[in-house]
Amino acid sequence: MGYMVGNDFIPHLPNLHINENALPTLFQAYMDVLPGLDGYINEGGILNLDRLEVLMERLARFDRDIFLENYTDLQYFKAKRGANDTEAFDVTLEEIKADMDMDLSALIKASEDMFLDDDEDGGGGERYSAEDIENDPELFEKEFAAYKRNYYMTKMGYGDFNEETRAEQAECYIRALQWTLLYYYRGVSSWAWYYPHHYAPFISDVQSFKNIKLNFEMGKPFLPFQQLLSVLPAASKDHLPTAYHKLMTDPESCVIDYYPENFGTDLNGKQQAWEAVVLIPFIDEKRLLKAMEPCDAFLTDEEKQRNVHGPMMLFQYDEQGSAFLGA
């Protein structure tokens, strides 16, 4: 469950932040559902999807609780920043308060009358208060759906959000959980897999997934220089052979878009700059390897020897050993 607050492979689920009691929230939900399950969700590194779906249904309440709790503040923040500003999503109350000033006190007082627009261009619509939507389940679901749709359209770039998109997001996220679990329990299950989005879906959209097939194709790992070209910025090109430098710096390079000099970041509800989502493009494996092929011929013999998968070395502690290893 700890994966849901984010790790090296998966972004955190919206509104789940460690410094805002995300872990106790997850643990409490698990304790609530565990007595009704016929076993554990994690079976030696394999997800039991039926049981996981029960947990996600329980956690979905959190999405709705947070939306209702922040509804008035979200309307204020949206009205000030603009309907299509991505920072209107996944913000904390502290961020909203910090953005206010004394001259806006009248607007703050009246913020309960503000609303989240229901149409795609952010204009028009009726005005509702938090009390309105709390007392009208149908209205609540309408406003909640509009809020989530705007999140997917502005942050993930979807033209619209429908059931097909929701199912795609759910499968993608569950597949990420399974790959990560296998990684820690049994090792890499696919060298080519990666999570293809900068953001995760809402908990309430990760539903109806128990029948999906979670199969992975093993593939093969990148060679050392292929790996470095996948993760290093152009400013670190000196860590690679000269033969590859132009791929990262030449404006005419067919993969120059993988190495932007300027790029956006998104705090996405976090507090520190280093926690921000870095909005750079994902690497297309086939495209990168094709671009590297002509450069490989210019590697020196020594560089070619470095660019291989070497033998693995296993070090084991020997309590009785007293000899020093040679350099």
Side-chain angles (χ1 to χ4, degrees):
M1 289 186 301
Y3 301 158
M4 296 180 188
V5 299
N7 66 6
D8 290 345
F9 306 111
I10 319 174
H12 69 87
L13 288 165
N15 300 311
L16 278 180
H17 306 291
I18 293 176
N19 66 329
E20 295 178 8
N21 295 318
L23 291 176
T25 297
L26 290 171
F27 297 152
Q28 184 60 58
Y30 182 62
M31 289 188 290
D32 289 346
V33 301
L34 182 59
L37 303 179
D38 58 352
Y40 293 109
I41 294 173
N42 174 13
E43 298 179 318
I46 301 297
L47 286 173
N48 184 300
L49 298 186
D50 290 271
R51 297 168 191 158
L52 178 59
E53 192 164 288
V54 174
L55 174 63
M56 298 306 288
E57 288 172 357
R58 168 62 181 82
L59 280 171
R61 300 180 199 170
F62 176 75
D63 267 359
R64 288 173 165 77
D65 291 344
I66 291 296
F67 174 67
L68 182 61
E69 180 182 330
N70 294 333
Y71 184 75
T72 298
D73 297 315
L74 286 167
Q75 290 179 91
Y76 163 79
F77 196 75
K78 181 180 178 183
K80 186 180 179 192
R81 288 295 185 94
N84 294 319
D85 192 299
T86 59
E87 293 184 34
F89 302 98
D90 205 8
V91 294
T92 64
L93 188 57
E94 287 70 24
E95 287 180 276
I96 294 170
K97 289 178 178 177
D99 196 57
M100 298 176 179
D101 56 59
M102 297 302 294
D103 293 334
L104 292 172
S105 58
L107 286 177
I108 297 170
K109 185 176 183 298
S111 63
E112 288 190 357
D113 294 327
M114 295 180 182
F115 59 95
L116 285 172
D117 298 321
D118 187 34
D119 56 341
E120 292 183 6
D121 63 6
E126 297 183 53
R127 300 185 178 187
Y128 305 112
S129 68
E131 185 177 359
D132 288 335
I133 67 169
E134 184 175 14
N135 295 326
D136 187 336
E138 184 176 344
L139 178 60
F140 179 94
E141 291 302 323
K142 175 185 174 183
E143 290 292 287
F144 186 43
Y147 169 66
K148 292 196 295 181
R149 185 175 68 249
N150 286 337
Y151 170 87
Y152 290 111
M153 292 173 67
T154 56
K155 289 217 171 193
M156 291 191 172
Y158 284 105
D160 193 11
F161 185 72
N162 50 38
E163 176 55 27
E164 182 180 352
T165 307
R166 186 212 61 77
E168 174 195 332
Q169 282 289 315
E171 178 172 348
C172 188
Y173 188 77
I174 295 302
R175 187 173 298 278
L177 290 179
Q178 180 59 86
W179 186 95
T180 306
L181 201 60
L182 285 170
Y183 174 81
Y184 287 112
Y185 271 77
R186 306 184 183 188
V188 173
S189 59
S190 170
W191 288 103
W193 178 87
Y194 66 94
Y195 190 73
H197 303 287
H198 289 107
Y199 304 95
F202 281 94
I203 301 172
S204 51
D205 290 324
V206 185
Q207 308 292 330
S208 304
F209 54 78
K210 63 184 179 182
N211 293 320
I212 65 176
K213 304 299 180 184
L214 296 176
N215 300 317
F216 295 96
E217 184 177 338
M218 177 59 75
K220 59 182 181 180
F222 275 176
L223 293 172
F225 297 155
Q226 295 168 348
Q227 178 66 21
L228 290 176
L229 269 170
S230 298
V231 299
L232 292 181
S236 300
K237 67 181 185 300
D238 290 339
H239 294 291
L240 281 154
T242 306
Y244 299 120
H245 287 188
K246 285 189 175 182
L247 290 178
M248 309 174 80
T249 60
D250 188 339
E252 300 302 318
S253 166
C254 60
V255 289
I256 192 63
D257 53 309
Y258 291 160
Y259 311 100
E261 293 185 6
N262 301 299
F263 49 85
T265 60
D266 180 7
L267 280 175
N268 199 35
K270 299 296 185 181
Q271 303 295 319
Q272 307 299 326
W274 56 266
E275 297 178 290
V277 178
V278 180
L279 301 174
I280 56 177
F282 294 103
I283 297 291
D284 182 308
E285 176 182 346
K286 293 181 179 178
R287 184 179 161 201
L288 178 66
L289 297 185
K290 183 178 180 180
M292 292 181 68
E293 284 179 4
C295 305
D296 294 340
F298 297 97
L299 296 176
T300 66
D301 290 340
E302 186 272 337
E303 288 168 342
K304 291 177 181 177
Q305 291 176 1
R306 288 164 49 201
N307 195 35
V308 296
H309 294 140
M312 292 184 290
M313 301 183 69
L314 177 64
F315 293 87
Q316 184 174 348
Y317 174 69
D318 182 358
E319 191 172 312
Q320 305 301 321
S322 58
F324 289 100
L325 293 175

